[in-house]
mmCIF file of all heavy atoms in Angstrom:
data_model
loop_
_atom_site.group_PDB
_atom_site.id
_atom_site.type_symbol
_atom_site.label_atom_id
_atom_site.label_comp_id
_atom_site.label_asym_id
_atom_site.label_seq_id
_atom_site.Cartn_x
_atom_site.Cartn_y
_atom_site.Cartn_z
ATOM 1 N N MET A 1 0.822 -1.207 -0.024
ATOM 2 C CA MET A 1 -0.017 -0.005 0.006
ATOM 3 C C MET A 1 0.883 1.220 0.004
ATOM 4 O O MET A 1 1.826 1.384 0.815
ATOM 5 C CB MET A 1 -0.925 -0.104 1.272
ATOM 6 C CG MET A 1 -1.333 1.218 1.840
ATOM 7 S SD MET A 1 -2.432 0.880 3.140
ATOM 8 C CE MET A 1 -2.164 2.350 4.212
ATOM 9 N N LEU A 2 0.559 2.115 -0.930
ATOM 10 C CA LEU A 2 1.389 3.283 -1.071
ATOM 11 C C LEU A 2 0.680 4.505 -0.450
ATOM 12 O O LEU A 2 -0.458 4.679 -0.556
ATOM 13 C CB LEU A 2 1.698 3.627 -2.563
ATOM 14 C CG LEU A 2 2.582 2.640 -3.191
ATOM 15 C CD1 LEU A 2 2.627 2.866 -4.701
ATOM 16 C CD2 LEU A 2 3.989 2.706 -2.628
ATOM 17 N N LEU A 3 1.588 5.263 0.259
ATOM 18 C CA LEU A 3 0.968 6.438 0.857
ATOM 19 C C LEU A 3 1.708 7.634 0.269
ATOM 20 O O LEU A 3 2.873 7.565 -0.145
ATOM 21 C CB LEU A 3 1.289 6.515 2.365
ATOM 22 C CG LEU A 3 0.455 5.543 3.221
ATOM 23 C CD1 LEU A 3 0.968 5.599 4.667
ATOM 24 C CD2 LEU A 3 -1.022 5.872 3.261
ATOM 25 N N PRO A 4 1.038 8.766 0.160
ATOM 26 C CA PRO A 4 1.752 9.988 -0.245
ATOM 27 C C PRO A 4 2.888 10.261 0.660
ATOM 28 O O PRO A 4 2.800 9.867 1.918
ATOM 29 C CB PRO A 4 0.674 11.092 -0.113
ATOM 30 C CG PRO A 4 -0.606 10.319 -0.144
ATOM 31 C CD PRO A 4 -0.401 8.986 0.372
ATOM 32 N N VAL A 5 3.937 10.837 0.216
ATOM 33 C CA VAL A 5 5.122 10.990 1.039
ATOM 34 C C VAL A 5 4.853 11.829 2.294
ATOM 35 O O VAL A 5 5.223 11.361 3.365
ATOM 36 C CB VAL A 5 6.156 11.661 0.167
ATOM 37 C CG1 VAL A 5 7.425 12.059 1.074
ATOM 38 C CG2 VAL A 5 6.608 10.797 -1.014
ATOM 39 N N ASN A 6 4.116 12.861 2.104
ATOM 40 C CA ASN A 6 3.852 13.657 3.318
ATOM 41 C C ASN A 6 3.018 12.825 4.348
ATOM 42 O O ASN A 6 3.206 13.052 5.553
ATOM 43 C CB ASN A 6 3.212 15.009 2.984
ATOM 44 C CG ASN A 6 1.937 14.834 2.164
ATOM 45 O OD1 ASN A 6 1.640 13.620 1.801
ATOM 46 N ND2 ASN A 6 1.126 15.794 2.088
ATOM 47 N N GLN A 7 2.139 12.017 3.864
ATOM 48 C CA GLN A 7 1.357 11.253 4.868
ATOM 49 C C GLN A 7 2.232 10.152 5.391
ATOM 50 O O GLN A 7 2.025 9.872 6.582
ATOM 51 C CB GLN A 7 0.258 10.549 3.997
ATOM 52 C CG GLN A 7 -0.888 10.002 4.941
ATOM 53 C CD GLN A 7 -2.130 9.654 4.084
ATOM 54 O OE1 GLN A 7 -2.298 10.018 2.992
ATOM 55 N NE2 GLN A 7 -2.878 8.712 4.680
ATOM 56 N N PHE A 8 3.164 9.681 4.624
ATOM 57 C CA PHE A 8 4.100 8.695 5.206
ATOM 58 C C PHE A 8 4.904 9.293 6.388
ATOM 59 O O PHE A 8 4.954 8.630 7.381
ATOM 60 C CB PHE A 8 5.004 8.166 4.100
ATOM 61 C CG PHE A 8 6.218 7.372 4.632
ATOM 62 C CD1 PHE A 8 5.951 6.121 5.036
ATOM 63 C CD2 PHE A 8 7.487 7.911 4.759
ATOM 64 C CE1 PHE A 8 6.990 5.265 5.529
ATOM 65 C CE2 PHE A 8 8.522 7.215 5.178
ATOM 66 C CZ PHE A 8 8.228 5.835 5.642
ATOM 67 N N PHE A 9 5.361 10.483 6.201
ATOM 68 C CA PHE A 9 6.154 11.042 7.276
ATOM 69 C C PHE A 9 5.284 11.440 8.444
ATOM 70 O O PHE A 9 5.808 11.398 9.669
ATOM 71 C CB PHE A 9 6.859 12.322 6.755
ATOM 72 C CG PHE A 9 8.152 11.917 5.946
ATOM 73 C CD1 PHE A 9 8.229 12.110 4.617
ATOM 74 C CD2 PHE A 9 9.183 11.410 6.536
ATOM 75 C CE1 PHE A 9 9.360 11.853 3.886
ATOM 76 C CE2 PHE A 9 10.339 11.071 5.863
ATOM 77 C CZ PHE A 9 10.399 11.292 4.539
ATOM 78 N N ASP A 10 4.023 11.688 8.212
ATOM 79 C CA ASP A 10 3.189 11.896 9.285
ATOM 80 C C ASP A 10 2.971 10.657 10.207
ATOM 81 O O ASP A 10 2.642 10.748 11.369
ATOM 82 C CB ASP A 10 1.760 12.309 8.885
ATOM 83 C CG ASP A 10 1.791 13.749 8.436
ATOM 84 O OD1 ASP A 10 2.750 14.516 8.743
ATOM 85 O OD2 ASP A 10 0.825 14.266 7.728
ATOM 86 N N THR A 11 3.188 9.556 9.692
ATOM 87 C CA THR A 11 3.046 8.331 10.462
ATOM 88 C C THR A 11 4.241 7.999 11.321
ATOM 89 O O THR A 11 4.273 7.282 12.258
ATOM 90 C CB THR A 11 2.807 7.092 9.530
ATOM 91 O OG1 THR A 11 3.998 6.888 8.731
ATOM 92 C CG2 THR A 11 1.616 7.353 8.613
ATOM 93 N N LEU A 12 5.332 8.660 10.959
ATOM 94 C CA LEU A 12 6.555 8.547 11.835
ATOM 95 C C LEU A 12 6.372 9.197 13.193
ATOM 96 O O LEU A 12 5.812 10.272 13.219
ATOM 97 C CB LEU A 12 7.787 9.134 11.135
ATOM 98 C CG LEU A 12 8.154 8.381 9.769
ATOM 99 C CD1 LEU A 12 9.319 9.147 9.078
ATOM 100 C CD2 LEU A 12 8.557 6.929 9.980
ATOM 101 N N PRO A 13 6.842 8.525 14.164
ATOM 102 C CA PRO A 13 6.744 9.109 15.499
ATOM 103 C C PRO A 13 7.619 10.346 15.570
ATOM 104 O O PRO A 13 8.746 10.394 15.085
ATOM 105 C CB PRO A 13 7.262 8.015 16.445
ATOM 106 C CG PRO A 13 8.112 7.223 15.590
ATOM 107 C CD PRO A 13 7.568 7.239 14.202
ATOM 108 N N LYS A 14 7.029 11.351 16.139
ATOM 109 C CA LYS A 14 7.794 12.612 16.308
ATOM 110 C C LYS A 14 8.807 12.440 17.406
ATOM 111 O O LYS A 14 8.503 11.772 18.414
ATOM 112 C CB LYS A 14 6.853 13.749 16.569
ATOM 113 C CG LYS A 14 6.132 14.323 15.368
ATOM 114 C CD LYS A 14 5.804 15.705 15.553
ATOM 115 C CE LYS A 14 4.955 16.216 14.502
ATOM 116 N NZ LYS A 14 4.930 16.108 13.197
ATOM 117 N N LYS A 15 9.933 13.006 17.241
ATOM 118 C CA LYS A 15 10.971 12.995 18.268
ATOM 119 C C LYS A 15 10.728 13.978 19.300
ATOM 120 O O LYS A 15 10.569 15.126 19.052
ATOM 121 C CB LYS A 15 12.325 13.105 17.634
ATOM 122 C CG LYS A 15 13.433 12.740 18.510
ATOM 123 C CD LYS A 15 14.722 12.664 17.676
ATOM 124 C CE LYS A 15 15.822 11.955 18.502
ATOM 125 N NZ LYS A 15 17.028 11.803 17.728
ATOM 126 N N GLN A 16 10.518 13.505 20.476
ATOM 127 C CA GLN A 16 10.152 14.348 21.572
ATOM 128 C C GLN A 16 11.215 14.262 22.684
ATOM 129 O O GLN A 16 11.775 13.181 22.917
ATOM 130 C CB GLN A 16 8.863 14.059 22.214
ATOM 131 C CG GLN A 16 7.620 14.614 21.342
ATOM 132 C CD GLN A 16 6.341 14.356 22.081
ATOM 133 O OE1 GLN A 16 5.911 13.191 22.163
ATOM 134 N NE2 GLN A 16 5.702 15.320 22.572
ATOM 135 N N CYS A 17 11.487 15.405 23.352
ATOM 136 C CA CYS A 17 12.338 15.416 24.471
ATOM 137 C C CYS A 17 11.762 14.592 25.580
ATOM 138 O O CYS A 17 10.600 14.617 25.873
ATOM 139 C CB CYS A 17 12.527 16.772 24.992
ATOM 140 S SG CYS A 17 13.450 16.889 26.549
ATOM 141 N N SER A 18 12.527 13.652 26.141
ATOM 142 C CA SER A 18 12.081 12.717 27.136
ATOM 143 C C SER A 18 11.841 13.444 28.430
ATOM 144 O O SER A 18 11.146 12.873 29.383
ATOM 145 C CB SER A 18 13.115 11.568 27.356
ATOM 146 O OG SER A 18 14.305 12.148 27.745
ATOM 147 N N LYS A 19 12.307 14.611 28.570
ATOM 148 C CA LYS A 19 12.155 15.349 29.795
ATOM 149 C C LYS A 19 11.011 16.348 29.785
ATOM 150 O O LYS A 19 10.080 16.273 30.574
ATOM 151 C CB LYS A 19 13.474 16.162 30.228
ATOM 152 C CG LYS A 19 14.489 15.225 30.705
ATOM 153 C CD LYS A 19 15.635 16.028 31.305
ATOM 154 C CE LYS A 19 16.722 15.199 31.987
ATOM 155 N NZ LYS A 19 17.802 15.945 32.455
ATOM 156 N N CYS A 20 11.065 17.226 28.694
ATOM 157 C CA CYS A 20 10.059 18.301 28.800
ATOM 158 C C CYS A 20 9.024 18.061 27.679
ATOM 159 O O CYS A 20 7.964 18.687 27.564
ATOM 160 C CB CYS A 20 10.658 19.609 28.558
ATOM 161 S SG CYS A 20 11.454 19.934 26.942
ATOM 162 N N GLY A 21 9.245 17.110 26.728
ATOM 163 C CA GLY A 21 8.244 16.730 25.813
ATOM 164 C C GLY A 21 8.199 17.595 24.545
ATOM 165 O O GLY A 21 7.356 17.576 23.708
ATOM 166 N N THR A 22 9.194 18.512 24.485
ATOM 167 C CA THR A 22 9.297 19.373 23.283
ATOM 168 C C THR A 22 9.532 18.515 22.083
ATOM 169 O O THR A 22 10.406 17.705 22.085
ATOM 170 C CB THR A 22 10.476 20.430 23.543
ATOM 171 O OG1 THR A 22 10.162 21.222 24.682
ATOM 172 C CG2 THR A 22 10.611 21.220 22.276
ATOM 173 N N VAL A 23 8.786 18.791 21.028
ATOM 174 C CA VAL A 23 9.058 18.145 19.783
ATOM 175 C C VAL A 23 10.323 18.719 19.150
ATOM 176 O O VAL A 23 10.338 19.913 18.932
ATOM 177 C CB VAL A 23 7.849 18.258 18.831
ATOM 178 C CG1 VAL A 23 8.177 17.628 17.561
ATOM 179 C CG2 VAL A 23 6.592 17.648 19.408
ATOM 180 N N MET A 24 11.244 17.834 18.836
ATOM 181 C CA MET A 24 12.497 18.221 18.379
ATOM 182 C C MET A 24 12.556 18.047 16.865
ATOM 183 O O MET A 24 11.926 17.125 16.343
ATOM 184 C CB MET A 24 13.665 17.530 19.003
ATOM 185 C CG MET A 24 13.774 17.742 20.501
ATOM 186 S SD MET A 24 15.116 16.856 21.268
ATOM 187 C CE MET A 24 14.552 15.168 21.147
ATOM 188 N N GLU A 25 13.259 18.976 16.161
ATOM 189 C CA GLU A 25 13.464 18.734 14.754
ATOM 190 C C GLU A 25 14.435 17.535 14.570
ATOM 191 O O GLU A 25 15.304 17.257 15.422
ATOM 192 C CB GLU A 25 14.285 19.974 14.213
ATOM 193 C CG GLU A 25 13.441 21.239 14.326
ATOM 194 C CD GLU A 25 12.225 21.218 13.376
ATOM 195 O OE1 GLU A 25 12.378 20.560 12.279
ATOM 196 O OE2 GLU A 25 11.192 21.818 13.623
ATOM 197 N N GLU A 26 14.161 16.794 13.607
ATOM 198 C CA GLU A 26 14.964 15.642 13.340
ATOM 199 C C GLU A 26 16.442 16.137 12.998
ATOM 200 O O GLU A 26 16.622 17.012 12.175
ATOM 201 C CB GLU A 26 14.448 14.829 12.152
ATOM 202 C CG GLU A 26 13.354 13.902 12.496
ATOM 203 C CD GLU A 26 13.798 12.826 13.516
ATOM 204 O OE1 GLU A 26 14.930 12.472 13.461
ATOM 205 O OE2 GLU A 26 13.010 12.418 14.304
ATOM 206 N N GLN A 27 17.363 15.458 13.624
ATOM 207 C CA GLN A 27 18.748 15.889 13.391
ATOM 208 C C GLN A 27 19.546 14.623 12.985
ATOM 209 O O GLN A 27 19.358 13.582 13.708
ATOM 210 C CB GLN A 27 19.371 16.477 14.622
ATOM 211 C CG GLN A 27 18.686 17.859 15.051
ATOM 212 C CD GLN A 27 19.187 18.313 16.402
ATOM 213 O OE1 GLN A 27 20.222 17.945 16.787
ATOM 214 N NE2 GLN A 27 18.329 19.083 17.059
ATOM 215 N N SER A 28 20.291 14.768 12.066
ATOM 216 C CA SER A 28 21.235 13.609 11.773
ATOM 217 C C SER A 28 22.163 13.432 12.905
ATOM 218 O O SER A 28 22.629 14.354 13.529
ATOM 219 C CB SER A 28 21.892 13.828 10.398
ATOM 220 O OG SER A 28 22.667 15.049 10.512
ATOM 221 N N GLU A 29 22.518 12.165 13.077
ATOM 222 C CA GLU A 29 23.499 11.848 14.088
ATOM 223 C C GLU A 29 22.981 12.209 15.447
ATOM 224 O O GLU A 29 23.793 12.450 16.357
ATOM 225 C CB GLU A 29 24.828 12.611 13.841
ATOM 226 C CG GLU A 29 25.277 12.426 12.368
ATOM 227 C CD GLU A 29 25.978 11.146 12.114
ATOM 228 O OE1 GLU A 29 26.502 10.532 13.063
ATOM 229 O OE2 GLU A 29 25.954 10.694 10.934
ATOM 230 N N CYS A 30 21.623 12.416 15.578
ATOM 231 C CA CYS A 30 21.177 12.839 16.873
ATOM 232 C C CYS A 30 20.769 11.583 17.682
ATOM 233 O O CYS A 30 19.801 10.935 17.284
ATOM 234 C CB CYS A 30 19.982 13.851 16.662
ATOM 235 S SG CYS A 30 19.461 14.514 18.277
ATOM 236 N N TYR A 31 21.474 11.322 18.769
ATOM 237 C CA TYR A 31 21.190 10.152 19.473
ATOM 238 C C TYR A 31 20.559 10.432 20.828
ATOM 239 O O TYR A 31 20.282 9.512 21.547
ATOM 240 C CB TYR A 31 22.566 9.338 19.697
ATOM 241 C CG TYR A 31 23.570 10.216 20.217
ATOM 242 C CD1 TYR A 31 23.784 10.399 21.671
ATOM 243 C CD2 TYR A 31 24.545 10.777 19.459
ATOM 244 C CE1 TYR A 31 24.719 11.163 22.187
ATOM 245 C CE2 TYR A 31 25.620 11.623 19.884
ATOM 246 C CZ TYR A 31 25.728 11.808 21.311
ATOM 247 O OH TYR A 31 26.678 12.543 21.879
ATOM 248 N N THR A 32 20.459 11.717 21.132
ATOM 249 C CA THR A 32 19.865 12.035 22.422
ATOM 250 C C THR A 32 18.408 12.037 22.308
ATOM 251 O O THR A 32 17.848 12.228 21.279
ATOM 252 C CB THR A 32 20.406 13.397 22.840
ATOM 253 O OG1 THR A 32 19.879 13.692 24.148
ATOM 254 C CG2 THR A 32 19.956 14.487 21.963
ATOM 255 N N HIS A 33 17.809 11.795 23.454
ATOM 256 C CA HIS A 33 16.329 11.843 23.621
ATOM 257 C C HIS A 33 15.907 13.051 24.369
ATOM 258 O O HIS A 33 14.802 13.084 24.790
ATOM 259 C CB HIS A 33 15.811 10.550 24.295
ATOM 260 C CG HIS A 33 16.054 9.274 23.436
ATOM 261 N ND1 HIS A 33 15.346 9.047 22.349
ATOM 262 C CD2 HIS A 33 17.000 8.373 23.588
ATOM 263 C CE1 HIS A 33 15.784 7.858 21.727
ATOM 264 N NE2 HIS A 33 16.781 7.394 22.530
ATOM 265 N N GLU A 34 16.845 14.010 24.463
ATOM 266 C CA GLU A 34 16.512 15.193 25.146
ATOM 267 C C GLU A 34 16.727 16.367 24.250
ATOM 268 O O GLU A 34 17.549 16.334 23.404
ATOM 269 C CB GLU A 34 17.262 15.330 26.440
ATOM 270 C CG GLU A 34 17.025 14.265 27.471
ATOM 271 C CD GLU A 34 18.013 14.198 28.578
ATOM 272 O OE1 GLU A 34 18.860 15.052 28.646
ATOM 273 O OE2 GLU A 34 17.798 13.389 29.485
ATOM 274 N N CYS A 35 15.884 17.416 24.435
ATOM 275 C CA CYS A 35 16.139 18.697 23.670
ATOM 276 C C CYS A 35 17.430 19.313 24.059
ATOM 277 O O CYS A 35 18.077 18.932 25.047
ATOM 278 C CB CYS A 35 14.914 19.587 23.795
ATOM 279 S SG CYS A 35 14.767 20.255 25.419
ATOM 280 N N ASP A 36 17.770 20.339 23.295
ATOM 281 C CA ASP A 36 18.988 20.979 23.598
ATOM 282 C C ASP A 36 19.108 21.566 25.040
ATOM 283 O O ASP A 36 20.095 21.475 25.725
ATOM 284 C CB ASP A 36 19.282 22.147 22.566
ATOM 285 C CG ASP A 36 19.557 21.625 21.183
ATOM 286 O OD1 ASP A 36 19.837 20.434 21.030
ATOM 287 O OD2 ASP A 36 19.637 22.440 20.311
ATOM 288 N N GLU A 37 17.942 22.071 25.436
ATOM 289 C CA GLU A 37 17.970 22.617 26.720
ATOM 290 C C GLU A 37 18.172 21.567 27.809
ATOM 291 O O GLU A 37 18.979 21.739 28.699
ATOM 292 C CB GLU A 37 16.621 23.351 27.046
ATOM 293 C CG GLU A 37 16.582 24.728 26.331
ATOM 294 C CD GLU A 37 15.260 25.478 26.719
ATOM 295 O OE1 GLU A 37 14.925 25.421 27.798
ATOM 296 O OE2 GLU A 37 14.689 26.052 25.812
ATOM 297 N N CYS A 38 17.413 20.495 27.682
ATOM 298 C CA CYS A 38 17.449 19.515 28.726
ATOM 299 C C CYS A 38 18.804 18.714 28.610
ATOM 300 O O CYS A 38 19.306 18.184 29.542
ATOM 301 C CB CYS A 38 16.299 18.613 28.618
ATOM 302 S SG CYS A 38 14.755 19.360 29.070
ATOM 303 N N GLY A 39 19.270 18.621 27.293
ATOM 304 C CA GLY A 39 20.424 17.877 27.184
ATOM 305 C C GLY A 39 21.741 18.678 27.553
ATOM 306 O O GLY A 39 22.799 18.125 27.560
ATOM 307 N N GLY A 40 21.502 19.923 27.747
ATOM 308 C CA GLY A 40 22.614 20.788 28.291
ATOM 309 C C GLY A 40 23.517 21.162 27.132
ATOM 310 O O GLY A 40 24.663 21.623 27.483
ATOM 311 N N LYS A 41 23.128 20.964 25.904
ATOM 312 C CA LYS A 41 24.042 21.470 24.815
ATOM 313 C C LYS A 41 24.102 23.005 24.804
ATOM 314 O O LYS A 41 25.120 23.490 24.606
ATOM 315 C CB LYS A 41 23.378 21.021 23.467
ATOM 316 C CG LYS A 41 23.550 19.514 23.213
ATOM 317 C CD LYS A 41 22.970 19.168 21.769
ATOM 318 C CE LYS A 41 22.973 17.736 21.569
ATOM 319 N NZ LYS A 41 22.332 17.458 20.311
ATOM 320 N N THR A 42 22.971 23.567 25.019
ATOM 321 C CA THR A 42 22.907 25.051 25.051
ATOM 322 C C THR A 42 22.938 25.506 26.508
ATOM 323 O O THR A 42 22.122 25.132 27.288
ATOM 324 C CB THR A 42 21.686 25.600 24.368
ATOM 325 O OG1 THR A 42 21.487 24.883 23.129
ATOM 326 C CG2 THR A 42 21.843 27.040 24.058
ATOM 327 N N VAL A 43 23.976 26.198 26.770
ATOM 328 C CA VAL A 43 24.128 26.608 28.269
ATOM 329 C C VAL A 43 23.563 28.024 28.340
ATOM 330 O O VAL A 43 24.142 29.028 28.141
ATOM 331 C CB VAL A 43 25.557 26.604 28.640
ATOM 332 C CG1 VAL A 43 25.615 26.978 30.147
ATOM 333 C CG2 VAL A 43 26.128 25.188 28.446
ATOM 334 N N TYR A 44 22.257 28.129 28.734
ATOM 335 C CA TYR A 44 21.715 29.346 28.979
ATOM 336 C C TYR A 44 21.461 29.430 30.542
ATOM 337 O O TYR A 44 20.821 28.441 31.092
ATOM 338 C CB TYR A 44 20.365 29.521 28.338
ATOM 339 C CG TYR A 44 20.469 29.740 26.895
ATOM 340 C CD1 TYR A 44 19.806 28.838 25.977
ATOM 341 C CD2 TYR A 44 21.154 30.850 26.284
ATOM 342 C CE1 TYR A 44 19.923 29.101 24.540
ATOM 343 C CE2 TYR A 44 21.257 31.051 24.974
ATOM 344 C CZ TYR A 44 20.617 30.203 24.092
ATOM 345 O OH TYR A 44 20.671 30.424 22.797
ATOM 346 N N PRO A 45 21.837 30.411 31.167
ATOM 347 C CA PRO A 45 21.574 30.465 32.548
ATOM 348 C C PRO A 45 20.100 30.651 32.729
ATOM 349 O O PRO A 45 19.516 31.546 32.134
ATOM 350 C CB PRO A 45 22.302 31.792 33.125
ATOM 351 C CG PRO A 45 22.820 32.522 31.848
ATOM 352 C CD PRO A 45 22.731 31.488 30.649
ATOM 353 N N LEU A 46 19.438 29.713 33.481
ATOM 354 C CA LEU A 46 18.017 29.695 33.543
ATOM 355 C C LEU A 46 17.516 31.015 34.259
ATOM 356 O O LEU A 46 16.332 31.258 34.122
ATOM 357 C CB LEU A 46 17.532 28.428 34.232
ATOM 358 C CG LEU A 46 17.756 27.185 33.375
ATOM 359 C CD1 LEU A 46 17.329 25.927 34.308
ATOM 360 C CD2 LEU A 46 17.031 27.209 32.130
ATOM 361 N N THR A 47 18.353 31.664 35.007
ATOM 362 C CA THR A 47 17.923 32.768 35.821
ATOM 363 C C THR A 47 17.892 33.993 34.904
ATOM 364 O O THR A 47 17.439 35.008 35.326
ATOM 365 C CB THR A 47 18.813 32.964 36.987
ATOM 366 O OG1 THR A 47 20.115 33.013 36.489
ATOM 367 C CG2 THR A 47 18.642 31.840 38.030
ATOM 368 N N PHE A 48 18.459 33.895 33.740
ATOM 369 C CA PHE A 48 18.547 35.094 32.884
ATOM 370 C C PHE A 48 17.229 35.296 32.146
ATOM 371 O O PHE A 48 17.033 34.746 31.067
ATOM 372 C CB PHE A 48 19.664 34.957 31.934
ATOM 373 C CG PHE A 48 19.898 36.185 30.990
ATOM 374 C CD1 PHE A 48 20.346 37.439 31.593
ATOM 375 C CD2 PHE A 48 19.575 36.116 29.705
ATOM 376 C CE1 PHE A 48 20.445 38.512 30.778
ATOM 377 C CE2 PHE A 48 19.636 37.322 28.896
ATOM 378 C CZ PHE A 48 20.132 38.471 29.411
ATOM 379 N N LYS A 49 16.347 36.009 32.730
ATOM 380 C CA LYS A 49 15.062 36.310 32.064
ATOM 381 C C LYS A 49 14.818 37.809 32.270
ATOM 382 O O LYS A 49 14.360 38.194 33.312
ATOM 383 C CB LYS A 49 13.931 35.487 32.699
ATOM 384 C CG LYS A 49 13.939 34.018 32.244
ATOM 385 C CD LYS A 49 12.755 33.307 32.851
ATOM 386 C CE LYS A 49 12.803 31.808 32.364
ATOM 387 N NZ LYS A 49 11.744 30.984 33.057
ATOM 388 N N PRO A 50 15.149 38.563 31.294
ATOM 389 C CA PRO A 50 14.989 40.046 31.416
ATOM 390 C C PRO A 50 13.554 40.373 31.745
ATOM 391 O O PRO A 50 12.607 40.006 30.943
ATOM 392 C CB PRO A 50 15.396 40.546 30.081
ATOM 393 C CG PRO A 50 16.162 39.434 29.424
ATOM 394 C CD PRO A 50 15.613 38.188 30.056
ATOM 395 N N ASP A 51 13.357 41.078 32.723
ATOM 396 C CA ASP A 51 11.972 41.423 33.094
ATOM 397 C C ASP A 51 11.724 42.783 32.531
ATOM 398 O O ASP A 51 12.373 43.814 32.784
ATOM 399 C CB ASP A 51 11.873 41.497 34.658
ATOM 400 C CG ASP A 51 10.369 41.772 35.096
ATOM 401 O OD1 ASP A 51 9.572 42.086 34.220
ATOM 402 O OD2 ASP A 51 10.140 41.621 36.279
ATOM 403 N N PRO A 52 10.760 42.833 31.580
ATOM 404 C CA PRO A 52 10.463 44.149 30.895
ATOM 405 C C PRO A 52 9.971 45.221 31.807
ATOM 406 O O PRO A 52 10.055 46.440 31.566
ATOM 407 C CB PRO A 52 9.388 43.828 29.835
ATOM 408 C CG PRO A 52 8.765 42.543 30.404
ATOM 409 C CD PRO A 52 9.832 41.806 31.091
ATOM 410 N N LYS A 53 9.475 44.742 33.006
ATOM 411 C CA LYS A 53 8.930 45.726 33.977
ATOM 412 C C LYS A 53 10.057 46.256 34.871
ATOM 413 O O LYS A 53 9.841 47.227 35.580
ATOM 414 C CB LYS A 53 7.793 45.107 34.801
ATOM 415 C CG LYS A 53 6.565 44.905 34.075
ATOM 416 C CD LYS A 53 5.495 44.205 34.943
ATOM 417 C CE LYS A 53 5.857 42.780 35.154
ATOM 418 N NZ LYS A 53 4.720 42.028 35.761
ATOM 419 N N TYR A 54 11.256 45.624 34.714
ATOM 420 C CA TYR A 54 12.343 46.059 35.634
ATOM 421 C C TYR A 54 12.988 47.330 35.182
ATOM 422 O O TYR A 54 13.528 47.269 34.001
ATOM 423 C CB TYR A 54 13.342 44.895 35.752
ATOM 424 C CG TYR A 54 14.518 45.343 36.521
ATOM 425 C CD1 TYR A 54 14.444 45.561 37.935
ATOM 426 C CD2 TYR A 54 15.773 45.494 35.902
ATOM 427 C CE1 TYR A 54 15.549 45.939 38.656
ATOM 428 C CE2 TYR A 54 16.878 45.802 36.684
ATOM 429 C CZ TYR A 54 16.812 46.056 38.070
ATOM 430 O OH TYR A 54 17.921 46.382 38.788
ATOM 431 N N GLN A 55 12.872 48.375 35.818
ATOM 432 C CA GLN A 55 13.525 49.655 35.434
ATOM 433 C C GLN A 55 14.482 50.054 36.534
ATOM 434 O O GLN A 55 14.080 50.427 37.615
ATOM 435 C CB GLN A 55 12.429 50.715 35.322
ATOM 436 C CG GLN A 55 11.341 50.453 34.291
ATOM 437 C CD GLN A 55 11.990 50.545 32.831
ATOM 438 O OE1 GLN A 55 12.927 51.235 32.591
ATOM 439 N NE2 GLN A 55 11.328 49.861 31.938
ATOM 440 N N PRO A 56 15.709 49.909 36.245
ATOM 441 C CA PRO A 56 16.767 50.252 37.203
ATOM 442 C C PRO A 56 16.793 51.794 37.563
ATOM 443 O O PRO A 56 16.379 52.584 36.712
ATOM 444 C CB PRO A 56 18.046 49.885 36.593
ATOM 445 C CG PRO A 56 17.857 49.673 35.171
ATOM 446 C CD PRO A 56 16.314 49.488 34.963
HETATM 447 ZN ZN1 ZN B 1 13.633 19.206 26.976
#
């Protein structure tokens, strides 16, 4: 049974972060089950959230 290509890809399970559930873009050579944030690839200080209401 043949499916249209886009429909075929829809049947593939989306890759989701095992921690936060964020749907990740398919990456080649990607063996992690966690997104960049949870996987610690991207080091953003979590406390760095500029508050627009903060006026020094
Ligand atoms: Zn995550």
Side-chain angles (χ1 to χ4, degrees):
M1 150 175 154
L2 290 174
L3 289 174
V5 172
N6 57 349
Q7 198 172 336
F8 168 75
F9 280 113
D10 280 348
T11 65
L12 295 176
K14 287 208 188 301
K15 195 166 192 177
Q16 281 184 293
C17 172
S18 59
K19 281 191 179 179
C20 68
T22 297
V23 177
M24 296 183 287
E25 298 289 331
E26 278 296 332
Q27 298 172 22
S28 57
E29 315 278 335
C30 188
Y31 51 86
T32 180
H33 293 287
E34 295 170 0
C35 69
D36 286 352
E37 284 184 41
C38 294
K41 286 183 188 172
T42 314
V43 182
Y44 289 121
L46 293 177
T47 54
F48 183 71
K49 286 181 180 176
D51 187 347
K53 284 180 289 191
Y54 176 68
Q55 298 289 336

